[in-house]
Amino acid sequence: MFYELRIMTTSSVSKGCFVFKPSTKKKKTSLTVADYFNEGLKDSEDGKKRFESCQLLWQQMKSQTEQLQEELNKRLFENLIGFLRKSHADFHDKKDDWSCRMRASEIPTAALVLGVNVTDHDLTFNSLADILHETITPYVVLLQSKECPGIKQLLQKLLIQLMGNTADIELDEEEEQVTISQRKMNCSLASLSGWYKRATKKPASPKKKRSSTSTHWESPPVVVIFKDLESFTASVLQEFIVISSGYVQELPLVLVFGIATSPMIIHRLLSHSVSSRLCIELFQSMSCTEHLATVVDQLLLTNHFPFKLSGRALQVLITIFLYHDFSVQNFIKGLQLSVVEHFYTQPLSVLCCSLPESRKRIKNLSHAQCENIRHLSSFMSYVESQTPENQVKLLTNDSFLKEMTQEFLERLTSYHENFTPILRCLHHFTCILPKYPLGKQVRELYCACLEKKVWETEDYNSALLLLRMLAKDEIVTTLQKCVAVLTPYSEKELGHTLEKLEEFLIHFQSLEENTLNGEDEDTSPQKALQKKTDLYQLQKKLLEMKETRRAKKLTKFEMLRQDVVDFIDCIVREYLVPPEMLPLHEVVYFSAASTLRRHLNAAPRVALHTALNNPASYLKTLENEAGSVSNVAPDICIAYKLHLECGRLINLYDWLEAFSTVVHAGEGSDSDSAQQVDEVTHARFIRAVSELELLGFVKPTKQKTDHVARLTWGGC
Amino acid sequence: MSSLAHTAYPEEKLQEVAKLTLCRESQVSTLLSIFGERQHLSFPSIFIYGHTGTGKTYILQTVLSTLELPCAFINCVECFTPRLLFEQILNHLHHHHPAPENEFSSKERCDTFNDFVRLYNRGMSELSLQETFYIVLDKAELLREMDANLLPGFLRLQELTESNVTVIFLTEIVWETFRPNTGCFEPLTLYFPDYSKVELQKILSSEFPVKYSAEFYASYINILLGVFYTVCRDIKELRHLAALNFPKFCEPVIKGEAKESDSHKLWKNIEPHLKRAMQTVYLREISSSQWERIQQEDREASHLKGLSAHAHVELPYYSKFLLIAAYLASFNPARTDKRFFLKHHGKIKKTDFLKKHEKTSNHLLGPKPFPLDRLLAILYSIVDSRVAPTANIFSQISSLVTLQLLTLVGHDDQLEGPKYKCTVSLDFIRAVARTVNFDIVRYLYDFL
Ligand SMILES: Nc1ncnc2c1ncn2[C@@H]1O[C@H](COP(=O)(O)OP(=O)(O)OP(=O)(O)O)[C@@H](O)[C@H]1O
Ligand SMILES: [Mg+2]
């Protein structure tokens, strides 16, 4: 780790040099992304095509996620825009109204609760700003806490952003007005309101006709967005609000508080006298778990994209989301990483494209690629299940293999086509069960089905048991939902599944009609019960009834229910086979979960400890030296290992002696050990210790001058 | 009005002042006698204090503007640097307004008090102003946080500039908290006492809407004060509440169900409404515009949840445990960790329990700082599965800090083991713990 650190600093130094040396800079920039992609490929088969498919696929996925994001934010933004529209309605008409005069002039404020996934907020705010720009007002300011340590900086930021804005609007005329010298100007709200008066007066002149400004009002509100309210200093906020509340009459200010936790933070940050100057309304965005559910639903549970995640890989991404950051952006980043990794490491990913395209590509496969196919484990297990002559053909005949490959890919595509709808149907059934044995969300069920044969799991069987106890109306509504899911597939393979489900529905309906006609069958024992009044007789009858009920033939409804559940079980076994069972699934499934975990959930402490404790794991020259402290290891490693054995306070002299012993261990002459430590060893020791101090393992202590204190406990 | 009789000012102006400044006759007349005639040298500095809403700003503004006295009315909140303060005063002196024409700049650049005195003198001689110039510094308590020479300088500005100037300080706090320990010129202090209920009634009733009679509005104010006077005496807040709820009061009259004089009927209509307002709008649980909407649509206020109903925060799984661990570390003494988190802690010493009764509850003392390592140690022992110390865990800790659920204490040296405090409430942490089925109370020393 320490070596890495050194490398990092040198690279930053060299970056500094690039500014002065254009030649090296040029060299750097001339490498394109594609070059980087190809350069590192271990198996460079079809590198260019793989890169292109990778780029294309990711472009498509990205635009899909962006579209999704937009739709998800739509409702929230509409509400907000509605609020902004009416917030300063009184600014326009009822200025002189009595009640308006009497009321304290409050600043309209939208408290926007966005959830703790702070990394996602930037995107939301940017699109919010864009939408506001388009629909309500050209005056939108985004403020971030770290730019505003004091009221002065806050006002500066505010004024610069606003006055800079008009520069775009009034580009065509009077350019001398546009450049307001920031230095001379007083950064105060008085200046701002003066500027506002002037800026809004202008568009009234008939000369101006701009499509963007025409949708705005005559006096559009000035929207100030505090992106991360929690991190703002309370005093800065309070001062800003107190100052600006004095200007509401002249300047239609609207605040938007971006809140990650809960709106209670407003009361914690602002005193009553300040919060009483605000007119706060609450807006809540969709919770991030719902957001993730939609992303999974629209991005992974569709057949728009040839690329798929294996159960394990998906689990890693979901775990990071649920356990660590709640960030949809990071989830999508993880997905992107999987896409890139897949195309980068899997030579056969060249076939991960649309079916017609893959047909062409299969034809052009090289012999080496055919060999790659033969080495796939899924292919090998397929070969084993074949007749001997077929086996030979598969293993030796390239063109036959290509034919088969084509067939495998087609089979994979149709497998996916059936998989998702059936999965959704099963989910409709399991998500109404008590305690959700197969998960509440469709993604949980999806993971389960990807990983193993779901019908062999305990959860599945308990779910089936519960399904056999469903009430009629529940079954009927769920069946209807399933029919809706399957309707688009009526022309395809799933057509007869759909027919079967519709048939069930008809049966249920006729059942209903029957029971309406003849109810006597079911109620007769009860009627008999009412007649008996003798206690002994009654008990006897009750016992009888219990027995008959157990042995009794199932009612029609129960039989039908049985049939439905059996049918569901049957289609699950048919269509929800885990992908690992299919030959050539490696082409479209990315399964390197450990790579993902290593990249996305790094463990710096562990890495540091491994590097220092066992340098052989990083330095290949030391490989045979594993285990005990050896004198060829870097000095810092020796010092580190020795310090692990110490308590909270380490005596420097003892440490030095131990260090010297280890360093000179190879020299054999044990008579020297009692001798004075030589200067070189001393210097090496001091350097090692100061390196440890830099890394935060030890620090000098005032308790004892010749000691240092350990800052870490345990191994890592 | 005889009480304001003053030879220096025209009678009708004085009457106008008296009409506008209700219940402040004595303060106004004191002020006027200190001011003296327009050209006369007045007292160098006047210090006016009184609670919020006692009319300090209003009275001063009314007097100065009605009598057309030359003045600079400065709000110190707005002038957060001395430069802004000086330049604003000079702008007022020269009747200069920052505008697009002058690129929003001040008349003159002025950075130090010395410059200010010089530029002020120059301005005075340029304008050849004979009358007293009044500089009013509102929210003067903020001057204490600015440069040390500012307050003493303004107190004796008359002497420093050798001109006819009076500086008036307006603030909510007493003079004793201002006086620098090096000593300074003592200003004349003037106290604005709180308004009594009767005075509030008089002032508030004076501003009745044109559509209704003064008596009608006065009876409304009377009911309003009956409800709110015990909790709120701030005239601005009261006036705001009065305006918000007045439409509801008029409702029976508009509908024709009652006459303006049916005071009992009107009272029965408005009283429960006002009580509800006290629990919602007054506390800013519901905003005034939402309150108005409720009123118009005639709904029950209970349909709308206030801000504090949304206290729940959704957190990632490990963040919840980190927060719980932080809470435990903040409120449990470190020596008890063994007892709570070691699987085989052996016998619990009785002395631990004896000690407990002597001390106050840790929850009353507030959260204590704890080092990062203790937090992680507790985390590892309360989470069932193994948690690797990954980068994500560490970034979750810093996210909790940015969310203000934890605070970093003494962050001068990052290497030297940072310390944190947990800032959430017991209710909050219990809600969090409930979502992960963790019985936090069993782990808290205070509740043993
Ligand atoms: N005597 C009065 N007559 C009429 N109106 C009054 C009177 N006193 C106060 N008011 C009204 O009360 C409002 C609040 O008063 P003002 O702002 O002057 O209080 P303040 O003492 O300056 O408070 P703060 O210390 O918070 O600045 C004024 O806008 C004014 O309309
Ligand atoms: Mg005031």
Side-chain angles (χ1 to χ4, degrees), chain B residues 321 324 328 341 382 430 433-434 436-441 443:
Chain B
F321 274 108
I324 292 172
L328 293 175
F341 305 115
I382 59 174
R430 281 174 78 165
R434 212 173 301 131
V436 288
N437 289 324
F438 182 82
D439 188 6
I440 190 164
V441 174
Y443 286 85

Side-chain angles (χ1 to χ4, degrees), chain B residues 22 52-58 139 172 195 235-236 239:
Chain B
L22 301 168
T52 177
T54 44
K56 302 180 293 291
T57 313
Y58 174 74
K139 306 277 174 210
E172 282 176 52
Y195 292 119
I235 190 165
K236 282 172 285 188
R239 203 166 51 180

Side-chain angles (χ1 to χ4, degrees), chain A residues 277, chain B residues 19-25 50-62 138-139 141 170-172 192 195 199 203-204 206-207 234-236 239:
Chain A
R277 293 169 198 247
Chain B
K19 219 176 82 201
L20 287 171
T21 59
L22 301 168
C23 313
R24 282 281 179 248
E25 291 85 5
H51 283 141
T52 177
T54 44
K56 302 180 293 291
T57 313
Y58 174 74
I59 299 287
L60 257 289
Q61 227 153 17
T62 315
D138 203 349
K139 306 277 174 210
E141 61 270 13
L170 302 184
T171 179
E172 282 176 52
F192 276 43
Y195 292 119
E199 285 170 327
I203 297 170
L204 287 172
S206 69
E207 295 168 304
D234 183 352
I235 190 165
K236 282 172 285 188
R239 203 166 51 180

Side-chain angles (χ1 to χ4, degrees), chain A residues 161-360:
Chain A
Q161 279 194 46
L162 278 177
M163 299 188 174
N165 259 354
T166 44
D168 308 335
I169 293 172
E170 314 172 351
L171 209 62
D172 32 357
E173 39 188 321
E174 294 160 299
E175 271 177 8
E176 74 274 23
Q177 233 94 47
V178 175
T179 50
I180 292 165
S181 77
Q182 241 57 253
R183 251 180 316 131
K184 252 176 104 183
M185 184 179 68
N186 266 330
C187 275
S188 69
L189 270 178
S191 315
L192 188 66
S193 87
W195 163 85
Y196 179 82
K197 212 174 277 162
R198 186 176 173 107
T200 48
K201 220 177 259 165
K202 273 215 181 145
S205 68
K207 248 179 22 181
K208 265 235 170 108
K209 256 199 184 164
R210 281 200 149 222
S211 54
S212 66
T213 45
S214 65
T215 58
H216 301 146
W217 293 336
E218 232 166 81
S219 42
V222 177
V223 182
V224 184
I225 302 178
F226 295 84
K227 283 176 153 184
D228 44 348
L229 188 75
E230 279 91 354
S231 311
F232 273 92
T233 329
S235 64
V236 173
L237 268 181
Q238 302 215 31
E239 265 170 61
F240 176 71
I241 292 169
V242 169
I243 295 174
S244 48
S245 73
Y247 286 89
V248 229
Q249 305 301 339
E250 301 131 58
L251 190 69
L253 208 61
V254 182
L255 309 183
V256 176
F257 289 162
I259 297 173
T261 50
S262 79
M264 293 299 284
I265 191 78
I266 298 175
H267 288 318
R268 243 172 73 184
L269 281 173
L270 307 177
S271 63
H272 183 258
S273 67
V274 176
S275 69
S276 65
R277 293 169 198 247
L278 301 177
C279 179
I280 302 169
E281 241 170 89
L282 196 64
F283 296 88
Q284 233 153 352
S285 77
M286 195 188 218
S287 86
C288 39
T289 36
E290 273 172 69
H291 194 158
L292 177 79
T294 352
V295 169
V296 170
D297 199 66
Q298 308 274 308
L299 215 61
L300 301 180
L301 282 177
T302 57
N303 296 322
H304 296 319
F305 311 111
F307 172 83
K308 301 274 171 195
L309 283 178
S310 78
R312 208 78 56 67
L314 179 58
Q315 199 66 60
V316 168
L317 293 185
I318 288 180
T319 307
I320 290 178
F321 178 88
L322 289 180
Y323 281 58
H324 293 293
D325 59 10
F326 268 179
S327 162
V328 179
Q329 282 317 303
N330 283 354
F331 182 85
I332 291 169
K333 286 260 161 63
L335 190 62
Q336 183 180 15
L337 179 66
S338 328
V339 171
V340 174
E341 272 290 323
H342 180 65
F343 283 92
Y344 186 72
T345 52
Q346 175 58 266
L348 290 169
S349 59
V350 68
L351 300 179
C352 182
C353 52
S354 65
L355 207 52
E357 176 69 27
S358 71
R359 216 164 278 152
K360 265 184 266 165

Side-chain angles (χ1 to χ4, degrees), chain B residues 394-409:
Chain B
F394 293 113
S395 68
Q396 268 168 288
I397 297 174
S398 37
S399 310
L400 289 176
V401 174
T402 46
L403 295 179
Q404 301 271 301
L405 299 173
L406 300 185
T407 44
L408 198 56
V409 198

